[in-house]
Amino acid sequence: MNEKNPGGLEPFEICSIRPPTENSSLTFRLTRNCYWNKCAFCPVYKMGARFSRRSLDEIRRDIDRARQLDDWMLAGGIGMNGYTRADYGKLPGLAEEIRRTGRKAHHEARTQKAAAEIPEDVDPRLAWFISWFNDQPSLEDSLAHLLSWRMAGGETCFLGDADGLILKPEFLATVLGEIKSRFPSLQRFTVYGRTRTAARQRSLADLRSMAAAGLNRVHFGIESGSDQVLAFVNKGECSADHIEGCLKTKEAGLSCSVYIMPGLGGTARSEEHALETARVINAAAPDFVRLRTLEIFPQTPLEQAVKEGSFTECPEEQVVRELRILISRIDAETELLSDSASNLLDLYGKLPHDRSRLLKIIDGYLDLPEQSKRIFSLHARLRSFLGQYGGLPEDLYEILSPYARDGELDMSRCPNDTLEGITRTIRSRLMP
Ligand code: SF4
């Protein structure tokens, strides 16, 4: 550490919402929240979070805070011989020492205030989601964020929030330059983007300058290639935006990763959703296609559409049939990933090369008897839950314990509606 900061050290803002590949990245918020915020399925910023751009000074302050906290960790003996999970146990003491030095105890109060801001009448599922959204991190949160990044190798950085491409290229270049000079181990910088911004607001020269400044990859949530589906969910983008935005991004030398949302067409547009999404992927040829199956969150416009009867959720089997159509139709060279807890099947592979292997996985599920499909689904969701949270909360433990035998779950005698109910409860708590 250079010197202990007598003025006190504040936490820096982190991006709670980021791609799964950036879970262990160092993150900085260049904007806050989403200026569009109208997608019918999206619960992310619906609880009153307002979009804002952050000034260069604010961002610089966060970079500086992150640099100093990283130095504090090293000075506190964390990372002297490599970083381990055991180091998490040292963080509360370190945070306390930083507070003592800087007399900044008000951070705890600020964190408590943020948690208390969830209104009491909010649906428990949404409350669960919001509690995970850390808008005002504490010193401990900032330190844990740095430790997780260090443990993962310290090479990746995500710049949030929802659309990094709205930033002027010169602004982004300045930020990237400053981050790189303070964190020289960083090798990869990524942002979320909207295809409409890439297609209509940014020139090819703009995107090239971003790549030249060090940006490596853009993650686009395209969700669907069907213009009807995109209009229904109020995505504010069309398939032409998706194709042009992705092609331009790749031409600028940036890696292009897209998220698609199986199930988003509902029962009415299921097949069209799959066919049109395959069409867009073939035309846009993104480097990565990531699956993120639709989950309908409470208090979203899509949940309202379900209540009104204008949208009917696809059963799981129909979602899998969509995937079958999609994978059968994609001829572009791309990589398919199922890196979201919302997905039922593990579908990872290069397309079109791995098509037959991936179709075998799909057909293996589709050929199962009905009861076995339900049991398969429960186990898949349970694995995701344990992967995400590391254990079961008391209520889920109680629901499942009657079916535990010798440390294994035997659901074969569980009635179908109970099986479905348990699976739904687990799904409702997974972060997509
Ligand atoms: S653009 Fe992304 S963050 Fe914004 S509302 Fe749509 S899905 Fe949510």
Side-chain angles (χ1 to χ4, degrees), residues 158-161 164-165 172 189-193 215 217-220:
F158 175 75
L159 305 172
D161 280 337
L165 300 185
L172 188 63
F189 292 86
T190 56
V191 290
Y192 274 133
L215 185 66
R217 178 176 299 162
V218 185
H219 290 270
F220 294 112

Side-chain angles (χ1 to χ4, degrees), residues 393-404:
E394 209 170 311
D395 61 337
L396 281 180
Y397 183 83
E398 271 178 28
I399 295 173
L400 289 168
S401 54
Y403 304 100

Side-chain angles (χ1 to χ4, degrees), residues 312-358:
T312 305
E313 189 177 7
C314 288
E316 279 197 312
E317 183 170 338
Q318 192 169 359
V319 174
V320 175
R321 291 193 189 283
E322 278 181 17
L323 289 168
R324 199 178 198 297
I325 296 173
L326 189 79
I327 289 170
S328 303
R329 298 258 172 166
I330 293 177
D331 294 318
E333 301 256 337
T334 190
E335 188 168 343
L336 185 77
L337 298 104
S338 183
D339 54 354
S340 162
S342 62
N343 299 326
L344 177 66
L345 301 177
D346 285 336
L347 298 169
Y348 290 85
K350 297 245 163 69
L351 285 170
H353 179 268
D354 296 324
R355 192 195 318 276
S356 57
R357 179 177 60 77
L358 295 169

Side-chain angles (χ1 to χ4, degrees), residues 34 36-39 41-42 44-46 162 194 223 235:
C34 172
W36 177 250
N37 206 16
K38 292 179 192 165
C39 298
F41 56 85
C42 175
V44 176
Y45 303 112
K46 295 283 189 286
R194 280 171 58 79
E223 332 301 357
K235 184 69 192 168

